[in-house]
Amino acid sequence: MKQRKIFAALAAGLMMTLDASAQQQFTINARPGAPIQETMYGIFFEDINFGADGGLYADMVENRSFEFPQRLMGWNVFGDVTVSDVSPAFDRNPHYVVLQPSGHAEKRTGLENRGFFGMGLKKGMTYEVSLYGRLHQLQGSEAKLRVEIVDDQDVPIDNKEITIGTSLWKKNSVTLTSDRTVEHGLLRIFLDGAEGVDLDHISMMPGDNWHGLRADLVKDLEDLHPGVFRFPGGCIVEGTDLATRYQWKNSVGAVENRPLNENRWNYTFAHRLFPNYYQSYGLGFYEFFLLSEKIGAAPLPILSVGLACQFQNKDDAKNAHVAVDDLQPYIDDALDLIEFANGPVTSKWGKLRADMGHPQPFGLKQIGIGNEQWGEVYPVRLEKFVKQIRAKYPDIKICGSAGPSAGGEMFDYGWKEMRRLGVDLVDEHYYMSPDWFLKNAGRYDNYDRKGPKVFAGEYASHVKGMDKQPTVAMNNFEAALSEAAFMTGLERNADVVYQATYAPLFAHVDGWQWRPDLIWFDNLKSVRSVNWYVQMLYGTNKGTNMLSLTQNGKPVEGENGLYASAVYDKNTKQYIVKIANTGTAAQQITLNFKGAKSLGAGTVTTLHSDNMQATNGLDNPDNVVPQQSSVQANGNSATVSVGAKTFAVFKF
Ligand code: AHR
């Protein structure tokens, strides 16, 4: 019986390979076409879902400067602890804590910080605890502090003493080591003597941080090989009101004196409210530029156009937006940012960059003005920026916005205005269903080639109702496969689509407001979503030139559930073909490379799951990951098989 089954299966397989009519024939013109932009397949960073503080920014202490409106939010204090701002250490973050002895040798005064949803401590890792301190009111000559890390059973793991022997503010640091891995540890500091102290900017950094950033999350970005890095958002560029918009000038210089900002995402969204969500700006524009350099992505800062978040403010509301005639400080912010990134060290902002440790220019080539703006209030303001940026920096490319929707009246108006203003790139946003992504694989086939280029600046496939129903699966294989299929259309249209960034990038499993997101993490580890693997496969196989790929003279965009595109890589001299099979049957496909020489052996990397709801989680990070095997071409053609529900990348 078993033998008969095997024979039947073999026969079916043989018939499939021999029956030419069951085979799809794809023709790939081997002559290199339009160049693929180096900026293709990038990342979009926004401080949402605790992406910065509590996420990529490695400082483990929440409210380290005591500037949250409830000054002690995040801290558990005991004994005699008060808050003061008299003779502060930092003028833009003036509050600090005063610790006074409790008046009894057995009673303690001190404070504890549990970080963001607990502090993750790793076995063998060192932690640098630093704080600014001074003797309180010159009461004595020396005060002692005990600094300790504590595990989730309240057992101290390691401790060190700090002696404060001056009445002038001074930075003190100790290094603690954890001998165990703890999910929800804490930092405790208490007076260990009879003298009082003033303390400010209490910070705790893991020893493996990279310029203040979490090493594992930096690696997750690096491994994507992104072409462009968009920052700092998203709606936080705009702010809930103008006062809380992202102001890059507040995010540079000494970290201790970067003023705290209220995060636009601390309000209720998807039924989740995080009133403790603030921006320390520890991850600021200097760090964003450094990170771009490290991960090899072109930096793309987006700045406020003078409109507070249009979702949160009616356009005619008083003070929602800056009057057109009052925009000059905002325009100056844009011009000064270009100087900060590229200016000589003799210039005001170039000098600050050099003082911060980077005399070489960052090589900024483009800037976005306005995030996701719409309506008449936008172009009338953008126009003023365009004129002055063009006049002073004619080589800098400008990105404008087409609004929050994938199409419709508002979108068309946005594009019309962007053309009129002659911006270089138009930022399109689409958070749509998997079905939409499949149906829109040909979206760019007929786009105007003469106008501005496309920047797909925020996109992700959303399985129905996801944001309103937290129980719905997130970042699942269904979404990822539809993105892979859609992206063949980005690749095929490389002459008009210049860059694309999946969004959002990060989410803390205990602090998310929006999903899906590319990378999830807790305080100890991170996980690369299935969607991450799709982005990585595109980012590491983007090639240098597009190739025409057709079936019966037409692009492959949905027939038999297949989506395909091809590129050539001049550097490696490889042909790369991407095929997403969204159907329920495996497909036999002959790839005919017209004009190519003999291709020889190649590889295929596949991403597949039998379960469309499959996800990668912190506990099963390798649930859906790419698999590689070899394929063989015959002359200049190769007959390959692409399994049902599979994304495959072939390389010859
Ligand atoms: O990515 C999340 C949000 O989606 C962004 O902040 C905003 O630009 C868009 O509406």
Side-chain angles (χ1 to χ4, degrees):
M1 177 68 183
K2 200 173 165 197
Q3 258 177 348
R4 218 181 309 147
K5 267 192 184 162
I6 293 172
F7 177 75
L10 282 175
L14 201 62
M15 272 167 63
M16 252 200 295
T17 47
L18 292 181
D19 178 3
S21 66
Q23 279 193 355
Q24 314 290 335
Q25 300 284 332
F26 290 180
T27 304
I28 297 139
N29 187 332
R31 209 179 56 209
I36 311 279
Q37 298 301 309
E38 289 191 355
T39 48
M40 268 315 271
Y41 314 117
I43 50 180
F44 159 97
F45 178 86
E46 174 163 30
D47 188 1
I48 185 173
N49 308 314
F50 287 81
D53 292 320
L56 182 57
Y57 189 53
D59 199 334
M60 299 163 75
V61 176
E62 184 183 22
N63 190 14
R64 65 184 177 186
S65 294
F66 307 99
E67 296 301 331
F68 283 23
Q70 288 73 31
R71 303 287 175 218
L72 291 173
M73 200 180 230
W75 293 93
N76 179 29
V77 300
F78 45 95
D80 186 353
V81 179
T82 51
V83 176
S84 174
D85 61 358
V86 178
S87 311
F90 309 106
D91 59 335
R92 299 206 291 180
N93 284 322
H95 296 93
Y96 58 87
V97 281
V98 180
L99 273 60
Q100 303 260 42
S102 300
H104 188 292
E106 295 297 319
K107 291 187 184 173
R108 295 287 181 199
T109 285
L111 64 173
E112 296 173 340
N113 195 290
R114 288 184 184 273
F116 302 86
F117 315 103
M119 283 183 179
L121 303 172
K122 290 184 188 163
K123 185 174 178 180
M125 180 66 72
T126 56
Y127 296 92
E128 186 183 332
V129 181
S130 62
L131 52 83
Y132 286 78
R134 69 177 174 193
L135 289 168
H136 182 65
Q137 291 180 348
L138 284 179
Q139 284 164 334
S141 59
E142 203 174 76
K144 291 211 181 302
L145 291 170
R146 185 178 159 115
V147 179
E148 60 187 30
I149 45 174
V150 179
D151 75 10
D152 38 15
Q153 305 300 314
D154 215 25
V155 178
I157 301 174
D158 191 14
N159 71 76
K160 289 263 167 64
E161 196 175 81
I162 288 180
T163 302
I164 310 273
T166 166
S167 55
L168 299 175
W169 285 109
K170 183 173 167 259
K171 185 173 180 179
N172 305 268
S173 304
V174 289
T175 301
L176 304 177
T177 306
S178 186
D179 63 2
R180 68 206 81 160
T181 294
V182 171
E183 266 181 54
H184 298 105
L186 62 88
L187 169 70
R188 183 181 291 150
I189 298 170
F190 58 92
L191 278 181
D192 210 10
E195 301 299 335
V197 292
D198 299 340
L199 301 180
D200 200 359
H201 198 88
I202 303 176
S203 155
M204 177 158 134
M205 284 281 183
D208 65 348
N209 79 82
W210 181 85
H211 289 273
L213 308 188
R214 232 177 93 164
D216 58 337
L217 298 183
V218 170
K219 181 88 174 84
D220 289 334
L221 300 184
E222 211 169 7
D223 288 352
L224 281 167
H225 293 266
V228 68
F229 179 27
R230 169 186 172 154
F231 58 85
C235 291
I236 68 161
V237 166
E238 305 156 72
T240 298
D241 45 34
L242 287 170
T244 54
R245 73 189 187 279
Y246 197 107
Q247 297 193 51
W248 76 266
K249 286 175 179 165
N250 287 343
S251 80
V252 292
V255 286
E256 295 87 347
N257 217 8
R258 299 180 189 175
L260 188 85
N261 193 35
E262 180 185 285
N263 192 306
R264 183 258 185 237
W265 292 104
N266 73 359
Y267 84 111
T268 310
F269 189 73
H271 310 290
R272 296 169 75 85
L273 172 70
F274 294 104
N276 59 335
Y277 203 175
Y278 286 84
Q279 297 174 279
S280 71
Y281 281 146
L283 170 53
F285 265 46
Y286 179 74
E287 290 76 18
F288 282 130
F289 280 115
L290 271 190
L291 182 58
S292 306
E293 201 169 70
K294 168 144 181 87
I295 62 181
L300 170 48
I302 309 281
L303 297 191
S304 164
V305 70
L307 301 174
C309 180
Q310 288 180 276
F311 283 114
Q312 292 178 304
N313 297 275
K314 290 215 162 62
D315 282 338
D316 56 359
K318 209 168 161 220
N319 299 329
H321 306 322
V322 185
V324 175
D325 290 338
D326 295 339
L327 276 171
Q328 196 54 46
Y330 290 72
I331 300 171
D332 288 343
D333 276 356
L335 298 174
D336 292 343
L337 178 63
I338 299 169
E339 184 177 294
F340 177 74
N342 293 353
V345 297
T346 47
S347 65
K348 176 179 170 190
W349 293 102
K351 176 174 184 318
L352 177 60
R353 182 192 72 238
D355 291 348
M356 290 183 76
H358 203 286
Q360 292 307 315
F362 280 119
L364 179 70
K365 293 203 172 102
Q366 51 174 331
I367 191 168
I369 304 296
N371 168 42
E372 191 178 66
Q373 321 300 163
W374 64 81
E376 289 172 10
V377 291
Y378 177 47
V380 69
R381 287 171 174 76
L382 178 61
E383 188 160 16
K384 297 206 143 204
F385 285 76
V386 172
K387 273 196 186 129
Q388 291 196 39
I389 295 172
R390 294 274 191 243
K392 194 160 180 190
Y393 296 108
D395 294 337
I396 291 286
K397 302 233 175 313
I398 301 174
C399 298
S401 164
S405 330
E409 215 174 291
M410 205 188 255
F411 175 88
D412 293 343
Y413 170 78
W415 257 100
K416 191 177 104 217
E417 286 298 296
M418 293 310 105
R419 276 194 201 96
R420 179 179 71 80
L421 297 178
V423 300
D424 302 285
L425 291 132
V426 177
D427 180 9
E428 298 187 351
H429 292 183
Y430 30 88
Y431 296 108
M432 305 297 274
S433 67
D435 188 48
W436 183 93
F437 274 89
L438 297 184
K439 289 197 175 117
N440 280 272
R443 176 180 174 92
Y444 297 111
D445 292 354
N446 299 314
Y447 255 50
D448 171 16
R449 263 49 191 175
K450 295 196 198 84
K453 304 302 176 195
V454 173
F455 168 32
E458 286 187 35
Y459 70 94
S461 175
H462 281 207
V463 174
K464 201 168 110 227
M466 188 167 285
D467 288 326
K468 294 275 156 51
Q469 299 173 36
T471 50
V472 177
M474 57 198 179
N475 291 105
N476 63 17
F477 182 68
E478 180 186 5
L481 186 62
S482 69
E483 286 153 8
F486 174 80
M487 289 171 78
T488 59
L490 302 183
E491 186 161 280
R492 184 173 44 255
N493 290 287
D495 55 331
V496 69
V497 182
Y498 272 25
Q499 47 202 31
T501 55
Y502 179 98
L505 186 57
F506 285 122
H508 193 300
V509 290
D510 296 323
W512 65 269
Q513 300 132 316
W514 179 295
R515 64 188 197 189
D517 306 284
L518 207 61
I519 298 163
W520 288 78
F521 58 88
D522 64 12
N523 292 332
L524 290 171
K525 51 192 184 305
S526 68
V527 55
R528 300 168 170 187
S529 66
V530 190
N531 315 69
W532 185 97
Y533 285 102
V534 169
Q535 294 294 323
M536 182 275 285
L537 287 172
Y538 271 91
T540 52
N541 293 293
K542 67 181 179 195
T544 55
N545 293 78
M546 60 188 271
L547 299 175
S548 144
L549 182 155
T550 52
Q551 182 175 28
N552 302 323
K554 288 190 296 209
V556 178
E557 39 194 37
E559 209 166 318
N560 302 307
L562 292 172
Y563 299 80
S565 57
V567 294
Y568 181 66
D569 192 318
K570 278 183 176 164
N571 304 317
T572 59
K573 300 196 171 26
Q574 280 178 316
Y575 296 98
I576 306 172
V577 180
K578 302 187 183 75
I579 303 176
N581 180 2
T582 63
T584 49
Q587 296 284 353
Q588 305 296 311
I589 303 165
T590 300
L591 305 172
N592 300 298
F593 292 85
K594 219 171 90 191
K597 297 204 182 98
S598 192
L599 298 171
T603 59
V604 57
T605 308
T606 54
L607 190 67
H608 165 77
S609 173
D610 291 333
N611 175 8
M612 295 302 274
Q613 304 311 317
T615 59
N616 291 338
L618 286 170
D619 296 329
N620 60 345
D622 298 332
N623 192 29
V624 187
V625 294
Q627 310 291 337
Q628 205 186 77
S629 55
S630 49
V631 285
Q632 184 62 44
N634 182 6
N636 65 354
S637 76
T639 297
V640 299
S641 173
V642 182
K645 307 288 183 195
T646 298
F647 176 48
V649 180
F650 294 91
K651 270 183 169 183
F652 294 98

